[in-house]
Amino acid sequence: MKLAEIKRALLLLVIFMVLLTVIYPAVVTLAGRVAFPGKAGGSLIQQNGVVVGSSLIGQPFSEAKYFWPRPSATASDGGSMPYDPLASGGSNLGPTNPKLVSPDPGTGEVSGAAKALRDSGVTGPLPIDLVTSSGSGLDPDITIEAANVQVARVAAARNMPAPKVQQIVDDHIEGRWLGFMGTERVNVLELNMALDRAG
Amino acid sequence: MQNFEIYDLIEIAALLAVLLLLVKPLGSYMARVYQGEKNLLSPVLRPLERLVYRFAGIDEQKESGWKQYAFAFLLFNGLGIVFLFLVLVFQGVLPLNPQGLPGFPLTLAFNTAVSFITNTNWQNYAGESTASYFTQTVPLTLSHFVSAAAGMAVVIALIRGIARRTAEQIGNFWVDLTRGVLYILLPIALIAGIFLVSQGVIQNFSGYQQARLVQAQNRNGAVTTQVLPMGPVASFESIKLLGTNGGGFFNANSAHPYENPSPLTNFVEIALFLMIPLALTHTFGRMVGNTRQGWAILTAMLIILVVSLGAMYWSERAGNPLIHRQGIAGPNMEGKEVRFGIGGSTLFSAGTTATSDGAVNSMLDSYTPLGGGVNMFLMLLGEVVPGGVGSGLYTMLGFVIIAVFVAGLMIGRTPEYLGKKIEVREMWMSVIIVLTSGISVLIFSGMALLLPAGTGAILNPGPHGLSEVLYAYASASNNNGSAFAGISANTSFYNLTLGFAMLLGRFLPAVAALAMSGSLAAKKYVPPSLGTLPTNNLTFIGWLIVVVLIVGALTFLPALGLGPIVEHLIMIGRK
């Protein structure tokens, strides 16, 4: 009786394994490959035949001529750099942790990022997303405010008129889905690549 | 001060509307499936179902009593744990491992095997750097399906116990398991998986991609490439959510753009983990022949869920005053993704902790003290609003029985529920169902806080550290699996204690639910009389909410007070 039950359990595991871990993923993979090959493959962006990134995964930018993304915790999570997809994750710093925000200027993740922005000439209130790290450490987007406060710096570094840079930013705004879902945002990698193309 | 965005409120309302519209069709469909009636998918799936029975030697006509049902349930889960453990330990020599990842260490393999089979999906490892494609697709995907179907089988058996009169049998575990997988989980997961691919969730078996960085980095030498992990994510993702499993393909879980690329996928993913637990209330109503009973339970669940979500949303929107003081404006975005914003993030978090899904799209450790406290509170209630697939409803039914009994004592009426007298045995089982997780949380957390092996893993200082430990055991004992992820829990101490907490929190209540089913099934039907307490009106809904809150609050108020509430006072009071 008990032995028969054990046999049943094992056979059921075997047939479920075939159905759920071979056939099911294979069907999804096949459907993806046929209908949405680019998306199934990671939404890769190519330039002259070379993969330069994914439109879904952020990249690190620190030079003045590029728009900066949000801080990323992947470097402190054991990654080789900020925005290292092999070490995805957030800072996990609690809201009162001095490593996140401390009264001493320039220490802590938030204050450090704020100082870099102030040094680059940003005045007025800083957008919160530019000084906090995302949950994935790979956030490809920044808010519109976060892009706007960087326009002057980028324009100066590129010797481009600010309205032209602003125009490129505006062209890259992605709205809310159906007008209400999510946040209005700008994809930093795509924006920076558009700037490089514009000169 | 206006502390909300109108778009967020529309998104929350839209999600609730979608879910409510699904309750009736999905709930009725599941009732038909478990009662073996003809349904929408019978023409396609019935032959497959027969094939499964023939292959495994299952006689679908043969039902069993609760002891044999429980034996089959435990046996299947036990074998599942052993199988998973072996695969994890020997991952290095198994196929589909293009990155050449080694096997899991023993205690981590134990923790992970228990975690996935108990539907907890606590992860002390990072998927992209630890688990091979074989591990992710074969044993982990398999456990996503079967742990969910096993939880559903238990609640269906309990419902049968309530519905049947003077019966000995409560069903056939193998049949319930198979039907849950074939008719409910597989079709929805398949459609959702393909949809997710269409929105950018990756699905392939390629090796990791090298991308040439647009701006090279200087860190201990020049870094010029970004390595993009690949994998069959979409097929994993859809069942991870649908089955309220929650274990991520990647370390960042559903915050990772390859798991959750857009506001729309976020919306769909939230709907996926809430749809079955909510619809099961209607399945219950259908199977006991009184759908208003199902709606009553659903209403109680939704009221607690929506109020909790509101509190969390408000707290996250208000943000962190310590940050505001530095000339920075905005809500609490630490650990959250821009594309989801506060609305999409808190909606996901409230849903995930309320359903025992445990997937996260934002890092809970970085929530404001009260926002994070709400997450913990939703788990500590015992995962009942609406809770995990199956487990949520059987735990809620435990609360219902207690509510009926206490109300009966207070107003001097016979405690009975749906025509069944509630007696000592049912009360014992209900108390076990309802209190096991709480006792487990408090004992294990106390242990961890007293031993250096426990306190050494804490990342954040002060009351937040207490919250991290408490959250870990609350998550494990309630089979949720989400984490205040700052805690470095991949140590032998945490791997083992969390593993035991998960085993206790899953199997003791499940077996108690089956035992209660057996004893209820054997009872005679007592027709409702003037002395019967109605269990489908607003008074009872309110009373049920009170009972759930009292058990949750009384058990945990001191701990919540020392963790999130003290931290909140520190945050707003610090100079």
Side-chain angles (χ1 to χ4, degrees):
Chain A
M1 192 60 232
K2 307 269 177 210
L3 219 64
E5 289 284 78
I6 293 175
K7 197 175 143 207
R8 254 175 226 134
L10 288 175
L11 288 172
L12 208 54
L13 272 177
V14 170
I15 194 164
F16 279 164
M17 209 176 337
V18 174
L19 191 65
L20 305 174
T21 73
V22 180
I23 298 177
Y24 159 69
V27 171
V28 178
T29 308
L30 203 68
R33 186 168 294 176
V34 172
F36 320 102
K39 295 200 157 152
S43 305
L44 303 179
I45 304 175
Q46 303 213 346
Q47 211 175 37
N48 310 324
V50 181
V51 175
V52 294
S54 159
S55 63
L56 296 177
I57 307 281
Q59 283 192 7
F61 288 99
S62 49
E63 291 173 13
K65 63 174 184 167
Y66 286 120
F67 280 86
W68 297 341
R70 303 179 63 188
S72 158
T74 60
S76 50
D77 281 350
S80 62
M81 59 175 186
Y83 288 87
D84 181 352
L86 293 184
S88 71
S91 72
N92 289 311
L93 295 172
T96 55
N97 194 324
K99 285 184 191 159
L100 178 73
V101 53
S102 125
D104 308 326
T107 63
E109 176 195 290
V110 167
S111 327
K115 185 168 181 298
L117 285 165
R118 294 280 182 224
D119 290 349
S120 78
V122 181
T123 52
L126 296 172
I128 185 95
D129 55 313
L130 264 192
V131 297
T132 50
S133 60
S134 65
S136 62
L138 307 173
D139 196 339
D141 305 311
I142 52 177
T143 58
I144 297 172
E145 299 78 54
N148 288 343
V149 298
Q150 302 187 56
V151 166
R153 183 196 76 230
V154 172
R158 287 179 179 264
N159 286 321
M160 251 161 110
K164 191 175 171 200
V165 175
Q166 185 69 50
Q167 187 57 48
I168 297 176
V169 169
D170 293 347
D171 290 344
H172 280 81
I173 293 175
E174 197 167 343
R176 297 183 175 87
W177 194 75
L178 286 185
F180 69 88
M181 214 178 268
T183 314
E184 288 183 302
R185 58 202 190 276
V186 178
N187 185 305
V188 180
L189 177 60
E190 288 177 358
L191 174 63
N192 283 331
M193 289 181 68
L195 280 171
D196 278 350
R197 281 195 300 273
Chain B
M1 188 186 82
Q2 179 189 328
N3 190 22
F4 61 86
E5 279 233 50
I6 192 72
Y7 306 104
D8 291 338
L9 301 193
I10 299 174
E11 180 167 351
I12 291 167
L15 183 78
L16 282 175
V18 167
L19 289 168
L20 283 174
L21 285 174
L22 276 173
V23 165
K24 205 172 163 187
L26 181 59
S28 311
Y29 171 76
M30 290 193 288
R32 297 186 80 87
V33 165
Y34 283 114
Q35 289 172 330
E37 296 165 19
K38 264 220 167 68
N39 59 64
L40 190 66
L41 294 178
S42 310
V44 193
L45 292 175
R46 181 66 189 153
L48 184 60
E49 188 192 352
R50 281 224 189 87
L51 180 77
V52 171
Y53 296 150
R54 200 171 325 134
F55 180 81
I58 295 163
D59 177 358
E60 62 173 315
Q61 303 301 331
K62 206 171 140 204
E63 298 204 328
S64 66
W66 79 267
K67 283 185 186 151
Q68 204 187 334
Y69 199 102
F71 173 76
F73 169 76
L74 292 175
L75 174 73
F76 186 73
N77 283 291
L79 287 174
I81 290 172
V82 171
F83 168 70
L84 216 64
F85 178 80
L86 291 176
V87 170
L88 294 174
V89 170
F90 294 107
Q91 168 179 274
V93 295
L94 291 166
L96 277 182
N97 187 0
Q99 303 303 313
L101 299 165
F104 280 48
L106 291 180
T107 58
L108 179 62
F110 164 75
N111 181 282
T112 308
V114 168
S115 172
F116 275 73
I117 292 294
T118 56
N119 198 248
T120 310
N121 304 61
W122 175 276
Q123 292 170 297
N124 275 341
Y125 65 92
E128 55 270 62
S129 55
T130 319
S132 71
Y133 289 169
F134 182 81
T135 301
Q136 304 256 30
T137 26
V138 179
L140 298 190
T141 307
L142 180 68
S143 69
H144 276 161
F145 276 99
V146 297
S147 68
M152 285 153 74
V154 171
V155 78
I156 294 298
L158 174 57
I159 295 170
R160 287 202 193 100
I162 297 171
R164 290 182 177 178
R165 296 158 191 184
T166 52
E168 286 195 354
Q169 260 83 42
I170 61 166
N172 182 329
F173 174 73
W174 306 117
V175 171
D176 290 340
L177 183 77
T178 305
R179 287 187 178 150
V181 167
L182 292 186
Y183 287 90
I184 299 166
L185 299 173
L186 186 56
I188 304 178
L190 189 65
I191 296 168
I194 294 173
F195 174 78
L196 289 177
V197 181
S198 79
Q199 299 301 309
V201 179
I202 58 175
Q203 177 75 19
N204 59 57
F205 287 89
S206 323
Y208 292 4
Q209 290 277 350
Q210 300 271 341
R212 199 189 59 204
L213 286 173
V214 171
Q215 184 210 308
Q217 299 294 302
N218 242 325
R219 279 180 82 86
N220 317 320
V223 181
T224 54
T225 54
Q226 187 184 38
V227 180
L228 297 169
M230 292 285 130
V233 177
S235 56
F236 185 96
E237 187 76 9
S238 65
I239 186 60
K240 144 192 151 183
L241 298 160
L242 182 67
T244 62
N245 295 285
F249 197 97
F250 301 116
N251 188 43
N253 208 299
S254 290
H256 198 295
Y258 276 165
E259 288 199 25
N260 194 355
S262 73
L264 177 60
T265 56
N266 190 52
F267 189 87
V268 170
E269 293 189 4
I270 300 167
L272 277 175
F273 58 67
L274 280 165
M275 65 165 72
I276 292 182
L278 289 174
L280 272 173
T281 59
H282 190 70
T283 309
F284 163 74
R286 285 282 298 247
M287 289 179 70
V288 300
N290 185 341
T291 51
R292 289 191 53 181
Q293 303 290 342
W295 291 111
I297 292 177
L298 180 72
T299 310
M301 289 173 167
L302 283 180
I303 289 174
I304 300 180
L305 179 59
V306 169
V307 171
S308 306
L309 169 64
M312 191 193 302
Y313 177 78
W314 173 83
S315 184
E316 294 307 301
R317 281 283 305 176
N320 185 340
L322 301 178
I323 292 181
H324 295 163
R325 215 165 286 157
Q326 308 208 342
I328 298 156
N332 179 24
M333 283 300 286
E334 179 65 30
K336 297 193 184 67
E337 304 285 301
V338 165
R339 61 191 179 283
F340 308 141
I342 299 295
S345 298
T346 52
L347 193 52
F348 197 109
S349 295
T352 197
T353 46
T355 55
S356 106
D357 184 58
V360 291
N361 78 346
S362 44
M363 296 303 132
L364 306 182
D365 217 346
S366 299
Y367 268 53
T368 59
L370 296 185
V374 171
N375 283 318
M376 212 183 307
F377 171 78
L378 283 169
M379 290 194 305
L380 292 173
L381 290 182
E383 297 291 14
V384 289
V385 292
V389 288
S391 57
L393 185 58
Y394 66 67
T395 311
M396 190 59 157
L397 287 170
F399 275 110
V400 169
I401 301 280
I402 290 176
V404 167
F405 186 81
V406 176
L409 288 185
M410 281 165 38
I411 56 178
R413 289 185 179 183
T414 345
E416 54 187 54
Y417 184 55
L418 298 172
K420 293 294 174 72
K421 270 213 183 83
I422 307 301
E423 291 168 297
V424 175
R425 194 175 160 83
E426 288 74 42
M427 279 309 291
W428 264 110
M429 295 307 142
S430 296
V431 167
I432 291 174
I433 292 172
V434 165
L435 288 187
T436 299
S437 65
I439 292 168
S440 160
V441 175
L442 293 178
I443 290 178
F444 281 115
S445 307
M447 230 165 87
L449 291 169
L450 287 174
L451 298 172
T455 49
I458 295 172
L459 168 73
N460 286 290
H464 198 83
L466 170 67
S467 296
E468 285 182 353
V469 172
L470 189 65
Y471 198 98
Y473 289 104
S475 179
S477 302
N478 287 294
N479 302 131
N480 184 291
S482 66
F484 269 29
I487 193 165
S488 316
N490 185 13
T491 63
S492 299
F493 173 80
Y494 276 102
N495 278 329
L496 293 174
T497 52
L498 289 168
F500 289 128
M502 292 186 256
L503 286 172
L504 201 64
R506 174 74 166 181
F507 294 115
L508 200 56
V511 171
L514 291 173
M516 184 156 81
S517 169
S519 102
L520 286 170
K523 286 177 195 270
K524 283 202 301 278
Y525 178 74
V526 189
S529 65
L530 272 180
T532 307
L533 178 81
T535 50
N536 56 7
N537 58 14
L538 276 178
T539 317
F540 185 77
I541 292 170
W543 172 240
L544 179 59
I545 292 173
V546 169
V547 169
V548 170
L549 293 181
I550 286 177
V551 173
L554 286 190
T555 318
F556 295 107
L557 208 55
L560 285 173
L562 291 173
I565 296 174
V566 166
E567 194 189 6
H568 176 72
L569 296 175
I570 290 176
M571 183 179 80
I572 58 173
R574 187 179 284 172
K575 292 284 175 315

